[in-house]
Amino acid sequence: MGLTPPWAVDSVSFRPDEGAIHFEVSCDTARLACPVCGAADQPVHDRVERTWQHLHFFQFKAFIHCRVPRVA
């Protein structure tokens, strides 16, 4: 997937009965740069569960699940 630390794929789950592949992605860090102003070393104040549908892998749907860290 081309992820760089601190982002990583934790698990991949192939579910043929639902015709899907599920990827669990995580970012295990307590501090990140602000995506808006670029201020470095900001504390992560919470994480929001998100799911995205990726392009299909052959005939299988692909979903990415992540608890996205948020900074103030």
Side-chain angles (χ1 to χ4, degrees), residues 1 8 20 22-23 27 31 35 42 44 46 51 53 62-63 66 71-72:
M1 294 183 90
H22 293 265
F23 297 88
C27 177
R31 303 184 83 76
Q42 299 298 304
V44 172
D46 70 353
T51 299
Q53 185 169 355
F63 297 95
C66 181
V71 297

Side-chain angles (χ1 to χ4, degrees), residues 22-72:
H22 293 265
F23 297 88
E24 294 290 334
V25 174
S26 69
C27 177
D28 294 330
T29 187
R31 303 184 83 76
L32 289 169
C34 176
V36 177
C37 70
D41 204 33
Q42 299 298 304
V44 172
H45 64 81
D46 70 353
R47 295 174 189 273
V48 178
E49 182 69 35
R50 302 273 190 206
T51 299
W52 299 271
Q53 185 169 355
H54 193 278
L55 294 175
H56 289 16
F57 284 92
F58 302 100
Q59 73 269 25
F60 301 105
K61 294 180 182 176
F63 297 95
I64 300 171
H65 306 278
C66 181
R67 292 186 62 232
V68 179
R70 297 192 311 169
V71 297

Side-chain angles (χ1 to χ4, degrees), residues 13-22 59-61 63:
S13 173
F14 176 54
R15 302 179 192 170
D17 54 319
E18 69 180 66
I21 303 169
H22 293 265
Q59 73 269 25
F60 301 105
K61 294 180 182 176
F63 297 95

